[in-house]
Amino acid sequence: MAEQPVDVEPGGQNVAGEAPAAEPEAVTDDTTVHDDDVELERTIGLVGGLAIGIGTMIGAGIFVFPGLAANNAGLAATVSFAIGGLIALLVALPTSELATAMPRSGGGYYFISRGMGTAYGAIVGLGLWLGLMFASAFYLVGLGHYASAVFAELGVGLPFSPVIGIGLLFGAALTVLSIGGTENTAKLQNIVVGVLLVVLTAFLSYGVLDAFGVFGRTSVPEQFFSRGYFPVLTTAALVFTSYLGFAQVATVAGEIKRPGRNLPLAMVGSVLVVTVFYVVTIFVATSAFGADRLGQFGETAMVEVARNLLGLPGAVAILGAGLLATFSSANASILSASRAVYALSRDALLPRKASEVNLRYGTPHVALLAAGGPILALVATGQVELLAEVASFLHLIMYGLMCVALIVLRRRNPEWYSPSYRVPGYPVLPGVGALASFGLIAFMQPASIGIGIVIMIVSFLWYRYYAADVTLKGDI
């Protein structure tokens, strides 16, 4: 990809007297070079981008949600996951266009702030940071549940629940690992996702054959809409957290090689792959037990499904895969949360200190700590469904506004906007993507909506206090 000059620079100052950093002097296939000689290396290829997307999504959707989703919607939870996948795909296509036009770290925040202005960007950017922290905490709590199940499987009786403690331990460890460099975390992500896909493909293939009676067993009969129709939509709102991974690829766009080719492939490809996995997982799980009994197993329901199909070896394999998956999801989310802080800081919406890059490792270490610290506090709550829905709320707001931002940029057609990929079906497809994203929020729990609205209000008030005079590209 050729260098992309930027014709309009951000301006203004925040209350600390800091102005937004200049746009990158050059965005190439290998680096993003800023005028202050800070160079953010492009070390993540297509496989790494797919690994971030699939690795983040494959965790919760398969290993944490099946019991909760089946309890809410029965076998029709397959439709819930399909709805989530459709909405994610409607957003992934516009996001791909925006990301090839603006392949910078920050993802949705960067797109919206440049397309719609500073106020929208501040609300979305701070919401993205907090939304990723809620998602990271959700994954870490899920990891704690799987680790606790390992102790139970080994017959180790503990006088206390280790779920929260294990989540906190891994949250701290992953933050430190990310400070050591994105190349380290990307390599780790590739290995973890590769192992997961092999294990899950084998397990689900066996499960599908078993469900159709190939091995002579009878599957549990299940009425499709056993809980009615409305729970399908409320469950779609709950499990949408499973689809946050494709946008996290855009969040690290500044570090992806050949972004014009790799960004669209990584985002769309990861959505398609995991949607198939999710739908098949719910089908296999409900065929083994039925929705009522499956729901009783909670966050580790898939361990019991594996035990039912393959005995103890199956349970052990899924326990290991569940640990890898929740670890992978948390790893990708912490990395992306730090990049959101990095982007906000460079735009003077947060103190400049947060965008400092560690000279030894080339990573934004202050931003990583700013993301990792609050995540640990959220993990301590242990509220799985609330963490998941608040993360979904904040991301759905961003997804809807990204679709709107694309329409705005197409209409304005500024000189600097020259994406190497253009979404088909404009303006209908991004318009439907925006409506679907905002519409799904209506089916969430009131508490989740309330917390999400409070975060948006606080984000706007912070912008008015700290950076009201800052102007970004969309304002000019």
PDB file of all heavy atoms in Angstrom, residues 29-57:
ATOM      1  N   ASP A  29       2.912  -0.338   4.549  1.00  0.00           N
ATOM      2  CA  ASP A  29       2.625  -1.735   4.856  1.00  0.00           C
ATOM      3  C   ASP A  29       3.390  -2.223   6.075  1.00  0.00           C
ATOM      4  O   ASP A  29       3.038  -3.243   6.658  1.00  0.00           O
ATOM      5  CB  ASP A  29       2.993  -2.630   3.666  1.00  0.00           C
ATOM      6  CG  ASP A  29       2.002  -2.480   2.524  1.00  0.00           C
ATOM      7  OD1 ASP A  29       0.901  -1.951   2.771  1.00  0.00           O
ATOM      8  OD2 ASP A  29       2.337  -2.877   1.394  1.00  0.00           O
ATOM      9  N   ASP A  30       4.441  -1.499   6.473  1.00  0.00           N
ATOM     10  CA  ASP A  30       5.303  -1.983   7.551  1.00  0.00           C
ATOM     11  C   ASP A  30       5.205  -1.189   8.841  1.00  0.00           C
ATOM     12  O   ASP A  30       5.395  -1.728   9.925  1.00  0.00           O
ATOM     13  CB  ASP A  30       6.766  -1.985   7.087  1.00  0.00           C
ATOM     14  CG  ASP A  30       6.976  -2.895   5.880  1.00  0.00           C
ATOM     15  OD1 ASP A  30       6.460  -4.031   5.913  1.00  0.00           O
ATOM     16  OD2 ASP A  30       7.634  -2.463   4.918  1.00  0.00           O
ATOM     17  N   THR A  31       4.942   0.127   8.753  1.00  0.00           N
ATOM     18  CA  THR A  31       4.931   0.955   9.955  1.00  0.00           C
ATOM     19  C   THR A  31       3.920   2.082   9.830  1.00  0.00           C
ATOM     20  O   THR A  31       3.481   2.446   8.742  1.00  0.00           O
ATOM     21  CB  THR A  31       6.313   1.613  10.216  1.00  0.00           C
ATOM     22  OG1 THR A  31       6.670   2.391   9.068  1.00  0.00           O
ATOM     23  CG2 THR A  31       7.384   0.570  10.489  1.00  0.00           C
ATOM     24  N   THR A  32       3.572   2.665  11.011  1.00  0.00           N
ATOM     25  CA  THR A  32       2.861   3.937  11.074  1.00  0.00           C
ATOM     26  C   THR A  32       3.834   4.909  11.719  1.00  0.00           C
ATOM     27  O   THR A  32       4.187   4.753  12.888  1.00  0.00           O
ATOM     28  CB  THR A  32       1.591   3.836  11.931  1.00  0.00           C
ATOM     29  OG1 THR A  32       0.749   2.825  11.361  1.00  0.00           O
ATOM     30  CG2 THR A  32       0.835   5.150  11.954  1.00  0.00           C
ATOM     31  N   VAL A  33       4.312   5.918  10.957  1.00  0.00           N
ATOM     32  CA  VAL A  33       5.345   6.815  11.438  1.00  0.00           C
ATOM     33  C   VAL A  33       4.738   8.169  11.759  1.00  0.00           C
ATOM     34  O   VAL A  33       4.098   8.786  10.903  1.00  0.00           O
ATOM     35  CB  VAL A  33       6.467   6.987  10.385  1.00  0.00           C
ATOM     36  CG1 VAL A  33       7.581   7.857  10.937  1.00  0.00           C
ATOM     37  CG2 VAL A  33       7.011   5.629   9.972  1.00  0.00           C
ATOM     38  N   HIS A  34       4.924   8.628  13.013  1.00  0.00           N
ATOM     39  CA  HIS A  34       4.430   9.925  13.445  1.00  0.00           C
ATOM     40  C   HIS A  34       5.559  10.947  13.391  1.00  0.00           C
ATOM     41  O   HIS A  34       6.742  10.598  13.418  1.00  0.00           O
ATOM     42  CB  HIS A  34       3.874   9.836  14.869  1.00  0.00           C
ATOM     43  CG  HIS A  34       2.711   8.901  14.989  1.00  0.00           C
ATOM     44  ND1 HIS A  34       1.430   9.262  14.668  1.00  0.00           N
ATOM     45  CD2 HIS A  34       2.646   7.599  15.367  1.00  0.00           C
ATOM     46  CE1 HIS A  34       0.605   8.248  14.864  1.00  0.00           C
ATOM     47  NE2 HIS A  34       1.326   7.213  15.283  1.00  0.00           N
ATOM     48  N   ASP A  35       5.188  12.218  13.363  1.00  0.00           N
ATOM     49  CA  ASP A  35       6.201  13.253  13.192  1.00  0.00           C
ATOM     50  C   ASP A  35       7.083  13.431  14.418  1.00  0.00           C
ATOM     51  O   ASP A  35       8.075  14.141  14.372  1.00  0.00           O
ATOM     52  CB  ASP A  35       5.554  14.601  12.805  1.00  0.00           C
ATOM     53  CG  ASP A  35       4.672  15.169  13.896  1.00  0.00           C
ATOM     54  OD1 ASP A  35       4.424  14.459  14.886  1.00  0.00           O
ATOM     55  OD2 ASP A  35       4.231  16.326  13.753  1.00  0.00           O
ATOM     56  N   ASP A  36       6.717  12.830  15.559  1.00  0.00           N
ATOM     57  CA  ASP A  36       7.572  12.908  16.745  1.00  0.00           C
ATOM     58  C   ASP A  36       8.511  11.706  16.813  1.00  0.00           C
ATOM     59  O   ASP A  36       9.025  11.353  17.869  1.00  0.00           O
ATOM     60  CB  ASP A  36       6.723  13.001  18.023  1.00  0.00           C
ATOM     61  CG  ASP A  36       5.662  11.926  18.090  1.00  0.00           C
ATOM     62  OD1 ASP A  36       5.626  11.063  17.194  1.00  0.00           O
ATOM     63  OD2 ASP A  36       4.865  11.964  19.048  1.00  0.00           O
ATOM     64  N   ASP A  37       8.724  11.077  15.643  1.00  0.00           N
ATOM     65  CA  ASP A  37       9.650   9.951  15.505  1.00  0.00           C
ATOM     66  C   ASP A  37       9.195   8.700  16.230  1.00  0.00           C
ATOM     67  O   ASP A  37       9.972   7.770  16.412  1.00  0.00           O
ATOM     68  CB  ASP A  37      11.061  10.318  15.976  1.00  0.00           C
ATOM     69  CG  ASP A  37      11.691  11.391  15.082  1.00  0.00           C
ATOM     70  OD1 ASP A  37      11.412  11.355  13.867  1.00  0.00           O
ATOM     71  OD2 ASP A  37      12.442  12.228  15.602  1.00  0.00           O
ATOM     72  N   VAL A  38       7.933   8.672  16.656  1.00  0.00           N
ATOM     73  CA  VAL A  38       7.384   7.444  17.241  1.00  0.00           C
ATOM     74  C   VAL A  38       6.925   6.550  16.094  1.00  0.00           C
ATOM     75  O   VAL A  38       6.167   6.978  15.222  1.00  0.00           O
ATOM     76  CB  VAL A  38       6.206   7.754  18.180  1.00  0.00           C
ATOM     77  CG1 VAL A  38       5.535   6.457  18.628  1.00  0.00           C
ATOM     78  CG2 VAL A  38       6.681   8.540  19.392  1.00  0.00           C
ATOM     79  N   GLU A  39       7.386   5.338  16.098  1.00  0.00           N
ATOM     80  CA  GLU A  39       7.087   4.416  15.016  1.00  0.00           C
ATOM     81  C   GLU A  39       6.373   3.194  15.571  1.00  0.00           C
ATOM     82  O   GLU A  39       6.919   2.471  16.385  1.00  0.00           O
ATOM     83  CB  GLU A  39       8.386   4.005  14.323  1.00  0.00           C
ATOM     84  CG  GLU A  39       8.181   3.205  13.050  1.00  0.00           C
ATOM     85  CD  GLU A  39       9.490   3.021  12.300  1.00  0.00           C
ATOM     86  OE1 GLU A  39      10.071   4.024  11.862  1.00  0.00           O
ATOM     87  OE2 GLU A  39       9.915   1.860  12.161  1.00  0.00           O
ATOM     88  N   LEU A  40       5.127   3.009  15.170  1.00  0.00           N
ATOM     89  CA  LEU A  40       4.346   1.849  15.601  1.00  0.00           C
ATOM     90  C   LEU A  40       4.469   0.788  14.515  1.00  0.00           C
ATOM     91  O   LEU A  40       3.989   0.973  13.400  1.00  0.00           O
ATOM     92  CB  LEU A  40       2.883   2.256  15.786  1.00  0.00           C
ATOM     93  CG  LEU A  40       2.022   1.468  16.774  1.00  0.00           C
ATOM     94  CD1 LEU A  40       2.624   1.464  18.165  1.00  0.00           C
ATOM     95  CD2 LEU A  40       0.616   2.025  16.807  1.00  0.00           C
ATOM     96  N   GLU A  41       5.156  -0.287  14.814  1.00  0.00           N
ATOM     97  CA  GLU A  41       5.461  -1.289  13.801  1.00  0.00           C
ATOM     98  C   GLU A  41       4.221  -2.090  13.410  1.00  0.00           C
ATOM     99  O   GLU A  41       3.380  -2.384  14.232  1.00  0.00           O
ATOM    100  CB  GLU A  41       6.542  -2.243  14.312  1.00  0.00           C
ATOM    101  CG  GLU A  41       7.902  -1.604  14.454  1.00  0.00           C
ATOM    102  CD  GLU A  41       8.974  -2.633  14.770  1.00  0.00           C
ATOM    103  OE1 GLU A  41       8.803  -3.808  14.394  1.00  0.00           O
ATOM    104  OE2 GLU A  41       9.961  -2.256  15.393  1.00  0.00           O
ATOM    105  N   ARG A  42       4.178  -2.454  12.115  1.00  0.00           N
ATOM    106  CA  ARG A  42       3.125  -3.346  11.624  1.00  0.00           C
ATOM    107  C   ARG A  42       3.671  -4.769  11.677  1.00  0.00           C
ATOM    108  O   ARG A  42       4.460  -5.179  10.826  1.00  0.00           O
ATOM    109  CB  ARG A  42       2.718  -2.964  10.198  1.00  0.00           C
ATOM    110  CG  ARG A  42       2.031  -1.606  10.112  1.00  0.00           C
ATOM    111  CD  ARG A  42       1.515  -1.342   8.705  1.00  0.00           C
ATOM    112  NE  ARG A  42       0.863  -0.044   8.650  1.00  0.00           N
ATOM    113  CZ  ARG A  42      -0.394   0.180   9.020  1.00  0.00           C
ATOM    114  NH1 ARG A  42      -1.129  -0.813   9.486  1.00  0.00           N
ATOM    115  NH2 ARG A  42      -0.914   1.391   8.953  1.00  0.00           N
ATOM    116  N   THR A  43       3.278  -5.489  12.698  1.00  0.00           N
ATOM    117  CA  THR A  43       3.812  -6.835  12.917  1.00  0.00           C
ATOM    118  C   THR A  43       2.745  -7.918  12.790  1.00  0.00           C
ATOM    119  O   THR A  43       3.041  -9.099  12.915  1.00  0.00           O
ATOM    120  CB  THR A  43       4.446  -6.930  14.318  1.00  0.00           C
ATOM    121  OG1 THR A  43       3.447  -6.618  15.306  1.00  0.00           O
ATOM    122  CG2 THR A  43       5.613  -5.969  14.466  1.00  0.00           C
ATOM    123  N   ILE A  44       1.476  -7.544  12.564  1.00  0.00           N
ATOM    124  CA  ILE A  44       0.378  -8.506  12.545  1.00  0.00           C
ATOM    125  C   ILE A  44      -0.087  -8.722  11.106  1.00  0.00           C
ATOM    126  O   ILE A  44      -0.532  -7.792  10.440  1.00  0.00           O
ATOM    127  CB  ILE A  44      -0.801  -8.007  13.416  1.00  0.00           C
ATOM    128  CG1 ILE A  44      -0.325  -7.720  14.842  1.00  0.00           C
ATOM    129  CG2 ILE A  44      -1.930  -9.028  13.422  1.00  0.00           C
ATOM    130  CD1 ILE A  44      -1.370  -7.062  15.725  1.00  0.00           C
ATOM    131  N   GLY A  45       0.035  -9.959  10.613  1.00  0.00           N
ATOM    132  CA  GLY A  45      -0.385 -10.286   9.261  1.00  0.00           C
ATOM    133  C   GLY A  45      -1.823 -10.753   9.207  1.00  0.00           C
ATOM    134  O   GLY A  45      -2.582 -10.618  10.185  1.00  0.00           O
ATOM    135  N   LEU A  46      -2.232 -11.332   8.061  1.00  0.00           N
ATOM    136  CA  LEU A  46      -3.610 -11.803   7.905  1.00  0.00           C
ATOM    137  C   LEU A  46      -3.935 -12.894   8.920  1.00  0.00           C
ATOM    138  O   LEU A  46      -5.003 -12.873   9.535  1.00  0.00           O
ATOM    139  CB  LEU A  46      -3.836 -12.327   6.482  1.00  0.00           C
ATOM    140  CG  LEU A  46      -5.201 -12.983   6.219  1.00  0.00           C
ATOM    141  CD1 LEU A  46      -6.332 -12.007   6.491  1.00  0.00           C
ATOM    142  CD2 LEU A  46      -5.269 -13.508   4.788  1.00  0.00           C
ATOM    143  N   VAL A  47      -3.020 -13.829   9.080  1.00  0.00           N
ATOM    144  CA  VAL A  47      -3.261 -14.905  10.050  1.00  0.00           C
ATOM    145  C   VAL A  47      -3.403 -14.330  11.453  1.00  0.00           C
ATOM    146  O   VAL A  47      -4.283 -14.730  12.218  1.00  0.00           O
ATOM    147  CB  VAL A  47      -2.121 -15.944   9.997  1.00  0.00           C
ATOM    148  CG1 VAL A  47      -2.286 -16.971  11.114  1.00  0.00           C
ATOM    149  CG2 VAL A  47      -2.100 -16.639   8.644  1.00  0.00           C
ATOM    150  N   GLY A  48      -2.550 -13.359  11.782  1.00  0.00           N
ATOM    151  CA  GLY A  48      -2.646 -12.728  13.094  1.00  0.00           C
ATOM    152  C   GLY A  48      -3.950 -11.969  13.268  1.00  0.00           C
ATOM    153  O   GLY A  48      -4.561 -11.998  14.339  1.00  0.00           O
ATOM    154  N   GLY A  49      -4.400 -11.272  12.195  1.00  0.00           N
ATOM    155  CA  GLY A  49      -5.673 -10.554  12.262  1.00  0.00           C
ATOM    156  C   GLY A  49      -6.848 -11.492  12.436  1.00  0.00           C
ATOM    157  O   GLY A  49      -7.747 -11.251  13.250  1.00  0.00           O
ATOM    158  N   LEU A  50      -6.844 -12.594  11.665  1.00  0.00           N
ATOM    159  CA  LEU A  50      -7.894 -13.602  11.833  1.00  0.00           C
ATOM    160  C   LEU A  50      -7.848 -14.203  13.227  1.00  0.00           C
ATOM    161  O   LEU A  50      -8.878 -14.477  13.842  1.00  0.00           O
ATOM    162  CB  LEU A  50      -7.726 -14.709  10.788  1.00  0.00           C
ATOM    163  CG  LEU A  50      -8.211 -14.402   9.373  1.00  0.00           C
ATOM    164  CD1 LEU A  50      -7.696 -15.446   8.396  1.00  0.00           C
ATOM    165  CD2 LEU A  50      -9.734 -14.319   9.319  1.00  0.00           C
ATOM    166  N   ALA A  51      -6.639 -14.395  13.749  1.00  0.00           N
ATOM    167  CA  ALA A  51      -6.487 -14.979  15.079  1.00  0.00           C
ATOM    168  C   ALA A  51      -7.049 -14.062  16.152  1.00  0.00           C
ATOM    169  O   ALA A  51      -7.683 -14.523  17.111  1.00  0.00           O
ATOM    170  CB  ALA A  51      -5.016 -15.278  15.357  1.00  0.00           C
ATOM    171  N   ILE A  52      -6.838 -12.749  16.001  1.00  0.00           N
ATOM    172  CA  ILE A  52      -7.412 -11.806  16.974  1.00  0.00           C
ATOM    173  C   ILE A  52      -8.938 -11.849  16.901  1.00  0.00           C
ATOM    174  O   ILE A  52      -9.623 -11.921  17.925  1.00  0.00           O
ATOM    175  CB  ILE A  52      -6.900 -10.371  16.712  1.00  0.00           C
ATOM    176  CG1 ILE A  52      -5.418 -10.274  17.084  1.00  0.00           C
ATOM    177  CG2 ILE A  52      -7.702  -9.349  17.524  1.00  0.00           C
ATOM    178  CD1 ILE A  52      -4.790  -8.938  16.732  1.00  0.00           C
ATOM    179  N   GLY A  53      -9.486 -11.815  15.679  1.00  0.00           N
ATOM    180  CA  GLY A  53     -10.936 -11.845  15.518  1.00  0.00           C
ATOM    181  C   GLY A  53     -11.547 -13.150  15.988  1.00  0.00           C
ATOM    182  O   GLY A  53     -12.437 -13.168  16.834  1.00  0.00           O
ATOM    183  N   ILE A  54     -11.063 -14.264  15.445  1.00  0.00           N
ATOM    184  CA  ILE A  54     -11.612 -15.567  15.810  1.00  0.00           C
ATOM    185  C   ILE A  54     -11.308 -15.884  17.270  1.00  0.00           C
ATOM    186  O   ILE A  54     -12.163 -16.392  18.002  1.00  0.00           O
ATOM    187  CB  ILE A  54     -11.035 -16.673  14.900  1.00  0.00           C
ATOM    188  CG1 ILE A  54     -11.503 -16.454  13.456  1.00  0.00           C
ATOM    189  CG2 ILE A  54     -11.470 -18.052  15.373  1.00  0.00           C
ATOM    190  CD1 ILE A  54     -10.841 -17.381  12.449  1.00  0.00           C
ATOM    191  N   GLY A  55     -10.090 -15.573  17.703  1.00  0.00           N
ATOM    192  CA  GLY A  55      -9.701 -15.885  19.075  1.00  0.00           C
ATOM    193  C   GLY A  55     -10.551 -15.173  20.110  1.00  0.00           C
ATOM    194  O   GLY A  55     -10.911 -15.745  21.139  1.00  0.00           O
ATOM    195  N   THR A  56     -10.904 -13.922  19.833  1.00  0.00           N
ATOM    196  CA  THR A  56     -11.755 -13.177  20.765  1.00  0.00           C
ATOM    197  C   THR A  56     -13.172 -13.724  20.764  1.00  0.00           C
ATOM    198  O   THR A  56     -13.798 -13.888  21.808  1.00  0.00           O
ATOM    199  CB  THR A  56     -11.791 -11.685  20.369  1.00  0.00           C
ATOM    200  OG1 THR A  56     -10.459 -11.199  20.292  1.00  0.00           O
ATOM    201  CG2 THR A  56     -12.556 -10.871  21.389  1.00  0.00           C
ATOM    202  N   MET A  57     -13.693 -14.047  19.583  1.00  0.00           N
ATOM    203  CA  MET A  57     -15.087 -14.458  19.482  1.00  0.00           C
ATOM    204  C   MET A  57     -15.311 -15.916  19.865  1.00  0.00           C
ATOM    205  O   MET A  57     -16.322 -16.256  20.464  1.00  0.00           O
ATOM    206  CB  MET A  57     -15.577 -14.215  18.051  1.00  0.00           C
ATOM    207  CG  MET A  57     -15.681 -12.744  17.697  1.00  0.00           C
ATOM    208  SD  MET A  57     -16.474 -12.439  16.087  1.00  0.00           S
ATOM    209  CE  MET A  57     -15.121 -12.778  14.971  1.00  0.00           C
TER     210      MET A  57
END
